[in-house]
Amino acid sequence: PPPPPFFFSTPQPQHPLLSGLVGSEMCIRDSSEAALNLCSAMAGRESGDARRALDLLRVASEIAERMGAVVINHEKNLGYGGAIRSIFLKAKELDGDILVTFDADGQHRIEDIENVITPIVEEKADLVIGSRFLDESEKEVPQYRKVGIKVITKITNASIKEQITDSQSGFRAYSKKVVDELNPSELGMGISTEILIKASSLDLKIIEVPIIG
């Protein structure tokens, strides 16, 4: 049978919480509006209460488990890179066809998952990035973040064969080949760039598709 949906849980509120494997209900498509609201609340922006954010995160994990998802809990904050590394390790174990990473800060849309995985399904790519900057439409990305992302992306492009627009997007799809061959090690935000550099060095095909948000 296909592997279950994969829901990632960690004490760092803005880590990637949701990811999916092809052949299953990716990103828990049937999750309720309440569950999605929990994800937004986890950022702790409204109350600034880290403890409340962690409590909400635990509740979201319980919801995911009841829906049949695989849940990984980090007992302590391992950083963004630690979260992604755990996702890769679990994906290897589950032996799925496609791994999708999806940030849970509210900027990404579940509806865009099909667009992100399609190039892999059609065997046109090994790694697909959901780019916020492929078109000229307005995106909900603060100007200071846009500048930072573009600077990091320019540096990344100097180290890879492809020329991309959004090296820091957390909305990505990875083929089984990428999951099997890559072993990310960076524990910080640099893991986004590390994965691209390693994938490019292995001549894995990297492309981007436009997403909203």
Side-chain angles (χ1 to χ4, degrees):
F6 178 65
F7 182 98
F8 188 84
S9 174
T10 172
Q12 177 89 352
Q14 293 188 6
H15 281 173
L17 300 178
L18 303 177
S19 64
L21 292 163
V22 162
S24 64
E25 286 295 313
M26 284 170 300
C27 290
I28 315 178
R29 288 180 180 271
D30 296 330
S31 58
S32 65
E33 181 178 353
L36 293 177
N37 288 337
L38 278 175
C39 291
S40 297
M42 285 174 213
R45 292 174 180 169
E46 295 183 2
S47 66
D49 186 340
R51 176 54 56 186
R52 175 172 170 74
L54 291 178
D55 289 342
L56 289 172
L57 189 54
R58 293 189 185 98
V59 171
S61 296
E62 292 173 1
I63 292 173
E65 284 184 318
R66 288 200 298 269
M67 296 177 71
V70 174
V71 176
I72 301 174
N73 289 293
H74 285 172
E75 293 301 322
K76 63 179 181 179
N77 181 4
L78 298 181
Y80 182 87
I84 294 293
R85 185 172 183 275
S86 290
I87 287 175
F88 265 74
L89 291 173
K90 178 56 69 172
K92 291 177 192 288
E93 177 186 327
L94 294 177
D95 198 31
D97 296 315
I98 297 177
L99 169 67
V100 176
T101 59
F102 188 97
D103 290 348
D105 57 5
Q107 66 175 301
H108 298 150
R109 304 188 317 154
I110 292 175
E111 292 82 359
D112 284 327
I113 290 177
E114 184 173 356
N115 292 335
V116 174
I117 68 171
T118 294
I120 296 178
V121 173
E122 295 179 347
E123 299 184 346
K124 295 178 179 179
D126 298 299
L127 192 165
V128 182
I129 302 169
S131 174
R132 295 159 287 185
F133 309 116
L134 270 182
D135 58 47
E136 300 300 322
S137 62
E138 286 294 319
K139 299 294 194 304
E140 295 182 6
V141 180
Q143 185 60 34
Y144 74 91
R145 286 193 62 196
K146 287 182 181 179
V147 173
I149 291 169
K150 289 182 178 181
V151 169
I152 296 174
T153 297
K154 185 174 182 179
I155 295 172
T156 301
N157 282 340
S159 303
I160 64 176
K161 299 179 180 69
E162 297 78 3
Q163 294 298 294
I164 59 178
T165 64
D166 194 353
S167 68
Q168 300 306 295
S169 173
F171 198 166
R172 298 181 179 183
Y174 302 95
S175 69
K176 186 178 187 303
K177 184 176 182 181
V178 174
V179 172
D180 288 344
E181 296 190 16
L182 261 61
N183 294 293
S185 58
E186 172 67 45
L187 294 181
M189 298 298 292
I191 197 167
S192 297
T193 299
E194 177 198 359
I195 289 173
L196 295 178
I197 292 175
K198 287 183 174 180
S200 182
S201 69
L202 292 172
D203 290 324
L204 298 171
K205 178 65 175 177
I206 302 171
I207 70 169
E208 292 182 302
V209 296
I211 59 169
I212 297 176

